[in-house]
Amino acid sequence: MPPTHPLATLAVSPQGAQVLAPLPLPLHVPPSLAATPSAQVYPGALKDFLPSLWRENEGLIFALAVGAVVRLIAPLLQNKATDPAVVVVDLAGKWALCLSGGHQGQGDRLTEWVAEQLGAEAILSGAGQTLGYVPLDTLGEPWGWRRGAGDWTGISAALARGEVVQVIQEGGDPLWQKHLPPEQPLSFESDGQKPGGRLWITPRSAALEPGDRPQAYWHPRLLWAGVGCTRGAGADFLAESLEAVLAQFGLAQAALAGLASLDLKADEAGLLELAARLALPFQTFAPEVLKAIPVPNPSEAVNQEVGTPSVAEAAAIASAAPYGYRKLRVAKQIYKAGAEACTWAIALAEREFNPHPGALWLVGSGPGALDQLTVAARSALKQAQVWIGYGLYLDLLAPLRRPGQIVEAYPITQERQRCQRAIELAQRGLNVAVISSGDCGVYGMAGLVLEELQQQGWDGKTPAVEVFPGITALQAAAAKVGAPLMHDFCSISLSDLLTPREKILLRLEAAAQADFVTALYNPQSQTRVQLIRDCQTIFLRWRAPETPVVLARSVYRDGEQITCTTLAQLLTHPIDMLTVVLIGNGATRRYQDLLITPRGY
Ligand code: SAH
């Protein structure tokens, strides 16, 4: 999934069209390349056609010389906030260069996505990339915060100059603060030192303090506005009164999470239109629900009329409740204009409303080396906002981390807590990668996450679940010794933590008898040494002592060790939990340092 859309690609040569072809995006070509499959032909010169693409897209990807692209876009560049991101790919498809960022770091992410799709190297020159700090102008996106007013360029410039930016977070999830790179030039205290800029995270509106330092605002969606109105009140009147109440109390419209009222108002045209204009959810409550909520300004007259003494205050509180109602930030305010009248009240919630549905990406990170990771898994890891997994695997993936990602490592025994935490963060709207080595669905975390979701009554949709397969230890070990898995094979874990010993013995017996090539996972730990002995005894009943056996330790990791031995000699070598064991079948033979299991052609 590209990080932004709509997107378009452009090529003017057959090589260029070929390089861009793998991207699942519209490809524009000149009439001379009309034969290019599924390309759209633009009429005339590219410089005349480009302005329309420039206006209509969030990002443009060129397969053209950088100089040519610079000349083409120079007359179109206006400002960082509205220009599309521009990515240039060379004609050999080796590099993807982020030429111009577009807003909110989109250029960098788009470039990385393009590079991953094409198997190219991304070239990024932005300060956030080279200095490795969290880009502040995208900080709140994962949480659904809205970017508010401020001098974002000034803040970036201060960081680039090496100055400290002070962060004042008055609301919204502070989890990101615990996952900053060590050198992050942010300060969370006002320690007398004059900062190079100030970043506010607050439901309050930008009260830009006078001064020479740049300031900028993020607004977590913490405010729930309750509203009551006369039948037929117009959207303009409602919008103006809401603006007035927000202004009076110094609150940001961007911090609004939703509008709420009484059931009777569910079809009130003005309210529906206002909600649509502000792109806010609008919900209504039954009078019995509202009646039960204690409010500061109940009205007996309202009670007589609609069956609850409060509409605005009670609806505001009721709508904030699922996010942890904190307090009524604005008690009932009445507005009138001619025959139109309305009341507003605004509740503040503990946790922000995040409109993103959240996702769980169950990622197999492969055996170890990063080049054994699939392109899809790599892309998911880049895009994920959270990584959850066992510490060792997260360390192996460290070079792929991008500043700002939340990384939670868990010890090996806390699998269930790990899954619950992942689900919780996905339910808050984040894209969470749950990482297992090898394949996530082979003695990994995928099954446990799905079981846990099922237990919670998951609807199968939210959070969305996607599995990214990985190369298993079994495949990695096999690859190191040629072709031992050419015929039927199975894998058996010798860990009796979750499987009764008797069952393991039964499976070993069955595999041995049925002549499966057999992979043993978790073969031996410091305390569990008997099962591998039992396994050898069982296999020796069905297979020759000289049956080839491979002990593959830390495959595709530092300290990799591949030992080819025999069933009889199996126990004379060290075996531990970083090892996977392959036992050949009756026909497997050794040739040089390799194993061949004949298919029988
Ligand atoms: N999900 C993983 C398996 C995890 S179980 C997969 O798909 O391969 C953990 C066991 O896997 C270890 O005890 C060891 O037997 C094996 N293992 C995992 N990575 C390995 C590696 N790089 N080299 C050898 N064995 C490995």
Side-chain angles (χ1 to χ4, degrees):
M1 58 236 99
T4 177
H5 67 94
L7 295 167
T9 71
L10 290 114
V12 299
S13 66
Q15 301 98 301
Q18 203 179 350
V19 160
L20 296 178
L23 296 175
L25 300 172
L27 170 64
H28 299 273
V29 296
S32 59
L33 299 181
T36 313
S38 64
Q40 298 173 27
V41 177
Y42 59 79
L46 180 52
K47 74 173 180 4
D48 301 325
F49 170 66
L50 194 55
S52 64
L53 280 189
W54 187 264
R55 276 192 307 276
E56 290 156 14
N57 288 283
E58 290 278 312
L60 298 177
I61 299 144
F62 293 84
L64 250 180
V66 176
V69 179
V70 169
R71 270 173 240 286
L72 277 166
I73 68 169
L76 302 172
L77 287 165
Q78 271 174 347
N79 80 51
K80 211 170 121 133
T82 51
D83 290 341
V86 177
V87 179
V88 182
V89 180
D90 70 306
L91 292 184
K94 278 170 93 173
W95 315 103
L97 167 78
C98 182
L99 188 61
S100 134
H103 59 109
Q104 304 187 3
Q106 272 177 4
D108 286 349
R109 272 175 296 153
L110 178 61
T111 306
E112 283 179 330
W113 177 80
V114 169
E116 276 149 16
Q117 300 297 308
L118 302 181
E121 185 99 19
I123 304 175
L124 310 174
S125 59
Q129 285 300 323
T130 46
L131 302 178
Y133 53 66
V134 180
L136 296 182
D137 58 355
T138 56
L139 178 68
E141 284 177 2
W143 309 98
W145 303 348
R146 289 200 187 89
R147 226 161 66 115
D151 179 2
W152 292 95
T153 315
I155 294 267
S156 304
L159 287 176
R161 283 195 302 271
E163 293 171 357
V164 167
V165 168
Q166 186 190 356
V167 177
I168 302 162
Q169 182 161 9
E170 299 178 330
D173 203 314
L175 183 61
W176 68 278
Q177 293 187 15
K178 286 201 239 145
H179 295 268
L180 293 170
E183 301 291 305
Q184 185 71 19
L186 297 180
S187 117
F188 295 91
E189 288 119 44
S190 49
D191 51 5
Q193 283 222 355
K194 215 167 170 205
R198 201 168 272 148
L199 184 74
W200 297 83
I201 303 168
T202 175
R204 295 187 300 126
S205 60
L208 291 171
E209 289 172 19
D212 50 353
R213 302 294 147 143
Q215 310 217 32
Y217 283 74
W218 274 109
H219 298 298
R221 302 187 201 195
L222 292 163
L223 303 176
W224 294 88
V227 56
C229 66
T230 46
R231 183 54 73 182
D236 288 337
F237 164 70
L238 291 165
E240 280 158 27
S241 58
L242 176 59
E243 249 170 63
V245 73
L246 289 166
Q248 188 186 340
F249 290 87
L251 298 172
Q253 186 161 304
L256 283 176
L259 306 180
S261 189
L262 179 69
D263 274 350
L264 205 62
K265 294 284 160 198
D267 62 349
E268 187 67 54
L271 284 178
L272 292 171
E273 190 186 327
L274 177 65
R277 270 192 214 172
L278 301 178
L280 288 175
F282 172 52
Q283 57 188 321
T284 59
F285 296 93
E288 304 80 64
V289 174
L290 298 185
K291 203 155 100 177
I293 297 172
V295 294
N297 300 296
S299 150
E300 191 40 45
V302 173
N303 194 18
Q304 291 297 324
E305 205 180 320
V306 296
T308 165
S310 167
V311 174
E313 289 180 345
I317 294 172
S319 56
Y323 299 88
Y325 165 66
R326 194 155 134 203
K327 64 176 180 187
L328 206 54
R329 190 65 175 67
V330 176
K332 182 166 78 178
Q333 305 291 310
I334 303 173
Y335 291 83
K336 286 197 175 111
E340 296 175 309
C342 68
T343 55
W344 286 103
I346 298 177
L348 177 68
E350 290 289 347
R351 295 182 300 280
E352 63 271 64
F353 163 68
N354 187 347
H356 309 314
L360 283 161
W361 295 336
L362 311 179
V363 179
S365 64
L370 295 182
D371 59 359
Q372 301 297 322
L373 186 68
T374 70
V375 173
R378 183 182 280 256
S379 168
L381 289 173
K382 272 273 164 162
Q383 288 181 50
Q385 288 135 2
V386 183
W387 287 11
I388 287 189
Y390 172 48
L392 171 68
Y393 308 146
L394 301 186
D395 292 346
L396 290 170
L397 297 169
L400 300 183
R401 274 179 69 173
R402 91 189 135 73
Q405 279 178 319
I406 291 163
V407 176
E408 295 193 352
Y410 280 77
I412 199 90
T413 49
Q414 294 183 6
E415 285 80 8
R416 193 168 290 277
Q417 288 94 315
R418 224 186 292 175
C419 289
Q420 284 163 348
R421 175 66 175 166
I423 293 170
E424 181 198 330
L425 292 174
Q427 282 165 343
R428 283 198 225 162
L430 303 180
N431 297 333
V432 181
V434 180
I435 302 165
S436 293
S437 81
D439 187 280
C440 197
V442 175
Y443 309 118
M445 300 288 291
L448 191 50
V449 168
L450 293 177
E451 280 179 50
E452 198 62 39
L453 281 169
Q454 184 187 14
Q455 226 165 51
Q456 297 185 13
W458 179 54
D459 65 357
K461 294 191 193 80
T462 315
V465 171
E466 200 173 336
V467 185
F468 294 83
I471 295 175
T472 62
L474 152 71
Q475 289 168 285
K480 291 288 170 181
V481 294
L485 303 180
M486 279 297 290
H487 217 297
D488 298 337
F489 64 90
C490 68
S491 78
I492 298 176
S493 165
L494 296 193
S495 167
D496 57 1
L497 280 178
L498 303 169
T499 312
R501 241 180 82 79
E502 295 65 42
K503 198 163 206 171
I504 298 173
L505 292 172
L506 196 67
R507 287 179 180 166
L508 288 169
E509 186 78 40
Q513 179 178 9
D515 201 28
F516 280 105
V517 175
T518 304
L520 304 174
Y521 274 79
N522 307 302
Q524 174 161 267
S525 73
Q526 275 164 359
T527 52
R528 182 171 45 70
V529 295
Q530 188 52 42
L531 266 160
I532 187 82
R533 288 173 168 68
D534 299 341
C535 169
Q536 185 194 36
T537 311
I538 292 171
F539 271 75
L540 279 171
R541 281 211 290 273
W542 300 96
R543 288 187 208 176
E546 54 280 5
T547 303
V549 165
V550 175
L551 309 176
R553 184 174 194 274
S554 294
V555 187
Y556 290 104
R557 293 186 195 157
D558 286 345
E560 175 184 292
Q561 219 175 331
I562 311 292
T563 310
C564 287
T565 179
T566 63
L567 192 52
Q569 296 297 310
L570 167 63
L571 297 172
T572 62
H573 302 275
I575 299 178
D576 64 7
M577 289 296 276
L578 298 176
T579 306
V580 69
V581 178
L582 296 181
I583 305 175
N585 69 13
T588 304
R589 57 181 187 255
R590 190 153 162 201
Y591 177 69
Q592 308 286 13
D593 281 337
L594 300 178
L595 259 55
I596 306 170
T597 300
R599 178 79 200 277
Y601 289 106

